[in-house]
Amino acid sequence: MNREHVKMAVVTAGLTGWLLATTVSQCPDQRFDALLRRGRLRIPVPNWRFFGPNPGVKDIHLLYRDLAEEKPGAWQEVPVTQDRPWYALAWNARNRAPKALFDACQDISLVARAYANNLDVVGRTPGYRCLADYIRQHLAHTEDASAAQFLLMESYPTSLTEREMKPVFASPEIPLHSAVAA
């Protein structure tokens, strides 16, 4: 038997085994994790999952309104997520902006819950500053609007046809004509 064939077989078997171990370690249940980390070999596999360990069960909604002459306007919903084309599984370059918006909303939601909607704490988060700048600079406002406000809501499916909506965080007034974040 040729030495090159033996080397090729060993490398192929090793890479195949590592791919199989990586695939097994990514399963939602984690019973194989301890198996891979025991023994003399302790196979080093990446620690990420193909399937989320905590699947999303709620949707987040971003609403905003203009304030003109101290009077609030009607709430308008900003789409946080967008429908994806079929090829988005492999290439989804247009997902960056919606993902940043979604992450900012998630950041605010987590901090608002953790600190009981303390405006001083929430207002210093990167998510709040990002969202305030987004609302100030990228959304349409009425001509006489001097400020804007946003509201984060979460919806949970309660049945196949109904959803329960809960408010998460309401921002203070965000000045539209100021470069300083509220």
Side-chain angles (χ1 to χ4, degrees):
M1 192 176 231
N2 188 347
R3 288 178 67 152
E4 290 301 316
H5 288 332
V6 171
K7 287 180 188 177
M8 183 66 91
V10 169
V11 169
T12 301
L15 289 176
T16 302
W18 191 46
L19 179 63
L20 182 63
T22 300
T23 303
V24 167
S25 73
Q26 307 312 309
C27 291
D29 66 5
Q30 299 176 0
R31 64 180 153 184
F32 297 112
D33 289 357
L35 232 171
L36 294 171
R37 291 187 186 106
R38 277 193 288 189
R40 290 188 305 154
L41 293 179
R42 290 196 179 134
I43 301 170
V45 293
N47 189 16
W48 45 265
R49 303 272 185 231
F50 290 129
F51 310 100
N54 300 313
V57 293
K58 59 188 172 195
D59 292 328
I60 194 150
H61 302 271
L62 171 62
L63 294 92
Y64 83 103
R65 66 181 175 185
D66 289 337
L67 294 121
E69 299 173 9
E70 306 284 328
K71 294 180 184 174
W75 289 106
Q76 300 174 53
E77 186 166 2
V78 178
V80 176
T81 59
Q82 299 172 343
D83 291 334
R84 294 190 259 175
W86 65 269
Y87 57 83
L89 180 64
W91 176 256
N92 196 10
R94 290 183 286 171
N95 191 40
R96 289 191 177 128
K99 176 71 169 126
L101 192 60
F102 179 80
D103 288 348
C105 292
Q106 289 294 93
D107 183 35
I108 293 169
S109 297
L110 291 172
V111 174
R113 275 194 198 90
Y115 291 94
N117 285 328
N118 183 325
L119 291 176
D120 291 332
V121 176
V122 176
R124 289 192 305 262
T125 63
Y128 180 87
R129 290 191 307 268
C130 176
L131 207 48
D133 286 343
Y134 177 78
I135 287 170
R136 186 183 300 115
Q137 297 173 11
H138 297 286
L139 296 179
H141 299 284
T142 59
E143 285 185 29
D144 57 344
S146 60
Q149 183 181 22
F150 70 85
L151 172 67
L152 293 180
M153 302 271 297
E154 288 179 344
S155 66
Y156 305 83
T158 56
S159 70
L160 291 175
T161 58
E162 295 183 22
R163 297 184 77 75
E164 178 183 345
M165 298 286 286
K166 290 185 177 180
V168 176
F169 177 77
S171 76
E173 292 182 10
I174 301 166
L176 293 177
H177 306 294
S178 171
V180 179

